[in-house]
Amino acid sequence: MSDRSALDALDEIHDRILWLSTSIIHHANRVRPNRSGLKVGGHQASCASITSIMTALWFHELQPEDRVSIKPHAGPVWHAINYLFGELDEEQMTTLREFGGLQSYPSRTKDPVPADYSTGSVGIGATAPIWGAVARRYVDSSLRDIGTGRQYSLVGDAELDEGAVWEAVNDPGVKHLGEIVWIIDLNRQSLDRVVPDIAAGRIEATFEAAGWQVITVKFGRLLEDLFAREGGDALRRRILTMSNPEYQRILRCSADELRTRLPGEAGSDDDSESGQALRALISDLDDATLLAAIRNLGGHDIPTLLEAFAQIDDSRPTAVIAYTIKGFGLPSSGHPQNHSALIDEAEYSALAELSGQDPQSPWSRFDSDTPAGQVVAEAAQRLARPEFAPAAPVELPRDLERRHKGTSSSQSALGRVLMDLSRQSPETARRVVTVSPDVSSTTNLGGWVNKVGVWSADAAQNWFADDAETILQWNESAHGQHMELGIAETNLVGLLGELGATWSRWGEPLFPIGVMYDPFVNRALEPWTFGIYAGGQSILVGTPSGVTLAPEGGAHQSITTPSTGIEVPGLVTYEPAFAQDVEWSLLHAMSLMGRPGGESAYLRLSTRAVDQSLARVPTDPAARERRRQQVIAGAYRLRSSTRPVVQLVGMGALMTEVLAAADRLAEMGIEAEVVCVTSPGLLYRALRSGQRRSPAMESAGGSAAGGNGWVLDQVFPASNAVPMVTVLDGHPHTLSFLATVNQVEHVALGVSTFGQSGDIDDVYRYHGIDTESIVFAALDAVRS
């Protein structure tokens, strides 16, 4: 096939994809019965904006090991491409946004053809390929050769308003990732308006300052040809200097209006030499050519795009800034409110006629013997990916057999568990990768970092290796197991999500563990949740937590994080009180990862030192195993009683106060049973497992969902249904549901106001979670 024939075929494929993507949305909104009458939605104009770019990529540029993050609103374009490849059938093309059908935005887990990256939350999909590149490099350097491949992000220019995008672009390690390619769909429109400022120069400068190559694709061949003629310089200057809104307005003009508006500022008379030259130039153009020329931006000119792609330098990340028109090829082209606009039936019929399609039978593919059909077939064959056999299952230890003694915090236990794991189970430990945002030493990872080293795409000399006073050694290489990003929690959880997806991409499971200060977990929760939705299984450790950070002030005290594990699907939360509970919880959380149906975990730890003897860990092997099973199921009875008067239920570091309160009550002749909760989320699941469940509940929660009703029978038996006091260093609602297990009187203690600076005892007293407050609450519960 000649180059000219190949380009003609690509243009034909572009037109068919535009038709199919438009039809997918049209059918969902105007053809398929709508029982509820609610808006279905879709983004025909956003799809049209990027169809040329996606056509050039899929049918010419992409290689089998490349991966692409597609801007959310271009999902129907991607579905249309999959349909041309034969991976979707006609029936599926009619199911956009239908229950069980094609997803609103590309999804790795819910679409019939899994996307490379789930997108839909602004900024997260754009940055995911950066972290995917790091994950691929890590697996390749640490476990086995999995090949190379570029990591593309197709990004709308309005998405660049999201600050997390620039946190990722500017991370110091990113400039070494030459496989990263971002293609910016610069259509100068957001949801509600035309972007008022010409931001392209600022965008280019920002990428360049971060060490990226920048390739700008402004104009297509037709415009470039006109620029070379007499009067062309004036035309170029006119287009480049007009504001975004003015340019968008002339896209809506007829040829006659263009001849009036284009030579001067907003149609004013311009008798200057350049104005006269511009009038002369456009007067020689017929109406069709003039209208086509003003729309001939580089992002819609496939040969120009291919030339830009050929310039990509794989030694550093690249940003291709492609000028486009929102709604290109549709009647809504350039309209300032076309973001969610749908073309009507008459416009759809006109598009069908222009495309040579039948609106009553819109789902046509190319015949295999046509040039376009040959290009499609060749692309489908070229993009067939190699399959990776899954690695042999990792045998995870359940108990490291350490006897935790003395006084220590749950945070310090984290570092010890990782060190014990590296000694006792090196095959497991080699798959652990830790990530932190500049808090390694303050979260007790120093020993681990010293032992395993820091992972880096480029090795660097440790200039402090011979400094005896430097405790934390920063040895960087491609074989390290710790990664440290800047102070950007969104980056951290983005990386966690991609490290946690390596099992499904390349058959190599990792156990990624991220550590950050607990007050910042909520800042990172949305992107981390999105990563879980996309199939990334990881562990996030929030520490220090609660009002144990009292000296830092009220702004640094986490209140709502304890309920996270109850509310986030695919996530189990542990807040262990004792070091032994940390060990068992962490090992169990790791066992849930790296496989279909797996889960992520969140461990909420504390810097407050706790006397480990209070845990009363059984020495008998059978009793110890029973305790372990209860810890990982959500709770255990720390002090049992055959005839309790009140039940004290505590969580985390506050078990010290709970046990002290039980002792005080005993001195009054009031027998108190003490329960230590390790996971409110698992207890909630256990409670719901015995109640009527919807299909969604049956499928939610992964491998730890339901099935643990026995823990309620053992820890909260009906025979011991007595008034209950729950207490935690967080919002009291987290444990309030436990009173419904046996329908008992209940007093909920916790933190529900902004904190204060001060000593722990003073701050506990301020919030009513000190020993005396627990005793008063127990007396109130018993008397009621």
Side-chain angles (χ1 to χ4, degrees):
M1 187 184 304
S2 67
D3 291 344
R4 180 67 263 168
S5 296
L7 290 174
D8 289 343
L10 289 175
D11 284 338
E12 189 176 355
I13 292 169
H14 163 272
D15 293 346
R16 187 66 55 88
I17 292 173
L18 176 63
W19 165 255
L20 289 171
S21 61
T22 303
S23 296
I24 290 171
I25 301 168
H26 180 82
H27 188 282
N29 287 273
R30 301 196 186 278
V31 179
R32 191 172 69 216
N34 187 337
R35 290 173 296 177
S36 68
L38 297 176
K39 171 189 173 183
V40 176
H43 301 85
Q44 290 172 332
S46 293
C47 287
S49 177
I50 202 168
T51 298
S52 305
I53 293 170
M54 293 180 68
T55 300
L57 271 180
W58 263 264
F59 296 95
H60 185 276
E61 194 68 18
L62 290 182
Q63 299 302 311
E65 293 175 330
D66 296 343
R67 295 181 185 272
V68 187
S69 172
I70 302 163
K71 77 170 188 176
H73 293 158
V77 179
W78 177 63
H79 297 316
I81 291 172
N82 286 327
Y83 178 71
L84 291 181
F85 283 155
E87 296 177 351
L88 295 175
D89 57 34
E90 288 191 15
E91 183 179 355
Q92 290 170 308
M93 298 290 276
T94 66
T95 65
L96 179 70
R97 302 191 175 203
E98 187 177 66
F99 184 80
L102 301 178
Q103 296 301 296
S104 309
Y105 311 118
S107 172
R108 286 197 70 222
T109 56
K110 293 191 174 184
D111 267 314
V113 179
D116 290 335
Y117 295 98
S118 293
T119 57
S121 192
V122 172
I124 297 174
T127 59
I130 290 178
W131 316 124
V134 174
R136 187 207 61 76
R137 287 193 180 212
Y138 184 86
V139 171
D140 194 76
S141 63
S142 302
L143 297 173
R144 63 166 159 168
D145 181 7
I146 55 171
T148 56
R150 287 177 178 169
Q151 299 277 344
Y152 289 89
S153 288
L154 306 183
V155 186
D157 55 344
E159 193 168 7
L160 297 180
D161 290 342
E162 173 56 57
V165 165
W166 300 111
E167 288 183 356
V169 168
N170 285 293
D171 186 90
V174 171
K175 66 183 179 181
H176 301 295
L177 304 177
E179 63 267 45
I180 298 296
V181 179
W182 282 26
I183 303 176
I184 315 300
D185 175 13
L186 193 77
N187 59 41
R188 299 166 304 282
Q189 285 186 239
S190 59
L191 191 150
D192 293 324
R193 62 175 182 165
V194 176
V195 178
D197 182 31
I198 300 177
R202 174 173 50 84
I203 294 170
E204 292 172 9
T206 306
F207 276 110
E208 288 174 344
W212 290 48
Q213 176 192 26
V214 176
I215 301 171
T216 302
V217 188
K218 285 187 177 180
F219 304 118
R221 292 164 299 165
L222 177 54
L223 266 179
E224 290 289 358
D225 177 67
L226 292 180
F227 294 156
R229 301 183 190 180
E230 186 175 352
D233 287 342
L235 176 61
R236 180 191 289 273
R237 284 196 304 273
R238 179 73 174 100
I239 293 176
L240 289 176
T241 56
M242 69 174 61
S243 67
N244 284 345
E246 184 183 1
Y247 180 76
Q248 296 296 113
R249 178 63 186 90
I250 67 172
L251 292 175
R252 309 289 298 169
C253 291
S254 66
D256 288 341
E257 290 174 316
L258 265 180
R259 297 181 194 281
T260 300
R261 287 175 176 262
L262 198 54
E265 293 292 335
S268 64
D269 291 331
D270 186 354
D271 294 325
S272 67
E273 183 177 342
S274 61
Q276 294 174 6
L278 179 51
R279 284 195 186 87
L281 174 64
I282 63 177
S283 67
D284 290 338
L285 304 178
D286 58 66
D287 288 354
T289 302
L290 178 59
L291 291 171
I294 203 63
R295 291 165 172 77
N296 185 227
L297 299 184
H300 299 302
D301 193 79
I302 289 178
T304 302
L305 286 168
L306 297 182
E307 290 173 4
F309 296 157
Q311 299 174 39
I312 293 174
D313 174 8
D314 288 325
S315 67
R316 54 179 173 154
T318 299
V320 179
I321 301 177
Y323 282 63
T324 61
I325 298 171
K326 198 163 188 174
F328 180 78
L330 299 179
S332 61
S333 176
H335 193 284
Q337 280 87 50
N338 66 4
H339 182 79
S340 298
L342 300 171
I343 62 176
D344 59 30
E345 292 289 355
E347 291 170 329
Y348 183 68
S349 296
L351 179 64
E353 183 176 354
L354 184 66
S355 305
Q357 299 298 309
D358 181 359
Q360 303 305 315
S361 182
W363 316 117
S364 61
R365 293 189 176 98
F366 293 107
D367 292 334
S368 59
D369 57 354
T370 63
Q374 292 173 17
V375 171
V376 169
E378 290 167 2
Q381 184 177 14
R382 182 184 72 251
L383 295 177
R385 279 187 180 150
E387 293 187 6
F388 293 92
V394 178
E395 292 295 331
L396 277 159
R398 298 188 301 179
D399 192 333
L400 297 176
E401 304 295 339
R402 174 189 277 269
R403 298 299 185 261
H404 299 273
K405 301 176 182 179
T407 301
S408 65
S409 68
S410 57
Q411 175 180 293
S412 63
L414 172 68
R416 290 198 301 272
V417 171
L418 290 176
M419 294 297 289
D420 287 347
L421 184 66
S422 68
R423 288 187 288 265
Q424 298 185 32
S425 183
E427 282 303 306
T428 300
R430 69 189 288 261
R431 294 182 180 273
V432 173
V433 53
T434 54
V435 186
S436 69
D438 197 34
V439 293
S440 300
S441 56
T442 55
T443 54
N444 289 90
L445 288 182
W448 166 261
V449 173
N450 285 345
K451 179 178 178 61
V452 302
V454 177
W455 184 89
S456 175
D458 292 319
Q461 183 172 347
N462 179 6
W463 292 101
F464 292 88
D466 59 349
D467 186 342
E469 295 182 5
T470 300
I471 298 175
L472 182 64
Q473 293 297 329
W474 211 251
N475 297 310
E476 297 182 60
S477 74
H479 303 290
Q481 290 181 243
H482 177 74
M483 299 181 184
E484 188 146 311
L485 305 176
I487 304 175
E489 286 76 15
T490 299
N491 286 354
L492 181 141
V493 296
L495 178 55
L496 276 185
E498 291 307 317
L499 290 169
T502 59
W503 66 272
S504 60
R505 294 194 192 281
W506 303 291
E508 291 288 351
L510 294 173
F511 303 125
I513 301 173
V515 179
M516 69 174 63
Y517 288 170
D518 197 66
F520 306 142
V521 166
N522 282 340
R523 180 187 301 176
L525 187 56
E526 192 262 343
W528 189 42
T529 302
F530 199 83
I532 295 171
Y533 164 79
Q537 298 162 10
S538 60
I539 297 172
L540 182 62
V541 178
T543 182
S545 64
V547 298
T548 56
L549 270 176
E552 297 284 348
H556 285 79
Q557 299 169 16
S558 52
I559 295 174
T560 61
T561 51
S563 64
T564 296
I566 299 177
E567 299 163 359
V568 178
L571 179 68
V572 57
T573 293
Y574 288 103
E575 185 168 345
F578 304 103
Q580 186 61 73
D581 299 350
V582 174
E583 175 190 315
W584 286 336
S585 300
L586 182 64
L587 293 176
H588 181 66
M590 290 169 62
S591 75
L592 300 177
M593 295 160 54
R595 56 186 173 84
E599 286 196 282
S600 293
Y602 162 48
L603 271 64
R604 188 175 189 256
L605 305 184
S606 172
T607 52
R608 189 189 177 201
V610 174
D611 181 358
Q612 298 303 306
S613 67
L614 297 176
R616 296 183 181 180
V617 179
T619 56
D620 177 78
R624 180 182 174 91
E625 173 59 17
R626 184 171 184 268
R627 167 70 72 85
R628 187 193 72 83
Q629 291 179 2
Q630 291 177 332
V631 166
I632 65 174
Y636 57 93
R637 282 195 282 178
L638 190 51
R639 291 189 185 176
S640 300
S641 174
T642 56
R643 299 178 64 84
V645 177
V646 66
Q647 190 175 54
L648 305 182
V649 181
M651 187 167 75
L654 276 173
M655 289 309 300
T656 298
E657 279 65 35
V658 173
L659 290 167
D663 292 339
R664 290 268 297 275
L665 290 168
E667 293 171 359
M668 302 178 198
I670 299 174
E671 192 169 350
E673 183 174 66
V674 177
V675 171
C676 180
V677 170
T678 56
S679 175
L682 289 179
L683 295 182
Y684 179 77
R685 293 184 193 179
L687 178 64
R688 294 294 285 144
S689 71
Q691 302 172 344
R692 184 183 297 275
R693 294 160 59 91
S694 69
M697 291 181 62
E698 292 289 348
S699 63
S703 56
N708 285 336
W710 58 267
V711 72
L712 298 180
D713 296 333
Q714 291 185 7
V715 180
F716 304 101
S719 59
N720 284 13
V722 293
M724 175 186 293
V725 176
T726 57
V727 55
L728 74 154
D729 189 351
H731 200 283
H733 79 84
T734 307
L735 298 177
S736 294
F737 71 92
L738 291 173
T740 68
V741 174
N742 292 313
Q743 302 297 321
V744 297
E745 293 292 331
H746 174 232
V747 179
L749 302 180
V751 179
S752 55
T753 62
F754 287 117
Q756 299 286 338
S757 297
D759 183 83
I760 287 292
D761 291 338
D762 293 334
V763 175
Y764 276 12
R765 190 177 304 110
Y766 171 78
H767 290 290
I769 55 177
D770 59 311
T771 298
E772 190 165 306
S773 296
I774 298 172
V775 171
F776 285 161
L779 294 174
D780 289 342
V782 171
R783 289 168 184 158
S784 62

